[in-house]
Amino acid sequence: MNVRRMSSIGAAAVAVLALAGCGGTADGGEQPAAASSASAAATTTTTTAAPAPTAPGTTTTTPPAPAPDSAPTTLADVQYERNESYYFTSPDGGFRCGIVKLPSRTEAGCEGATDPVPPRPENCMVNWGNGIRVQDAGPAEFMCSGGSVYTSGGDDPVLPSGSRLSKLGYTCETTDADVTCANDATGHGFTIAAGSNTTF
């Protein structure tokens, strides 16, 4: 008896599933095709809400799109480095300058015509007063040199007016008229221009 009841329940379940799979209903009727299409369309249709109307006399503004990054050029964008040293030209083109790493020391200096120039020391047998430098120790001093020191040998880039170059423990800054370089640790340095100069 239990076997017959289980068989009847199983047969009824198969019949319901067969009717549902064929588009029929549990009571044996056919599901209308229009209803089937409508339910399919309802699942694939998307609606877009229309913008709300604005009241008379009001304006609607859309925030502007963010502007692309237009940061000013920084010193990191310009190459001053040559062979572990850094070279540049003053904005007026009158001075060649550098922060130079040498085997025995590091120094910063600028060379070019400046005035006034102190008297030549007795121990200087070559060019005197054609520039000023500051080294690892001591105050800045005028140069006694046999040739150009602060050049990479080519056209060194201009350090724009108002810019700062800090490398190897020295900082150099420019204006339209002069260049100032200082040793970051000692505070000693110089300012040089065509018609003036100062050592400190």
Side-chain angles (χ1 to χ4, degrees):
M1 183 142 161
N2 285 338
V3 173
R4 281 188 190 165
R5 185 177 296 166
M6 291 300 290
S7 297
S8 297
I9 292 171
V14 170
V16 169
L17 288 175
L19 287 175
C22 294
T25 61
D27 62 358
E30 288 286 325
Q31 183 177 8
S36 177
S37 299
S39 71
T43 60
T44 59
T45 303
T46 57
T47 57
T48 304
T54 57
T58 62
T59 58
T60 303
T61 58
T62 303
D69 289 340
S70 56
T73 302
T74 63
L75 296 184
D77 299 327
V78 183
Q79 295 299 315
Y80 296 95
E81 194 269 333
R82 304 285 186 281
N83 300 322
E84 298 183 24
S85 295
Y86 299 82
Y87 300 96
F88 64 92
T89 303
S90 64
D92 66 0
F95 295 96
R96 292 179 313 275
C97 305
I99 301 173
V100 182
K101 183 176 181 181
L102 301 169
S104 60
R105 67 182 186 275
T106 303
E107 62 184 50
C110 291
E111 50 194 343
T114 186
D115 188 61
V117 176
R120 178 191 299 267
E122 291 182 10
N123 63 350
C124 180
M125 303 299 176
V126 290
N127 296 330
W128 168 249
N130 63 334
I132 304 175
R133 76 172 127 219
V134 60
Q135 299 178 356
D136 292 334
E141 58 188 7
F142 276 82
M143 293 171 49
C144 176
S145 64
S148 294
V149 177
Y150 302 113
T151 178
S152 67
D155 291 331
D156 296 317
V158 171
L159 184 63
S161 178
S163 298
R164 173 183 295 176
L165 180 65
S166 293
K167 297 291 179 182
L168 305 176
Y170 292 83
T171 298
C172 293
E173 299 178 74
T174 60
T175 70
D176 288 334
D178 59 36
V179 179
T180 299
C181 292
N183 181 313
D184 297 339
T186 67
H188 289 302
F190 63 87
T191 299
I192 191 169
S196 64
N197 53 70
T198 305
T199 59
F200 51 88

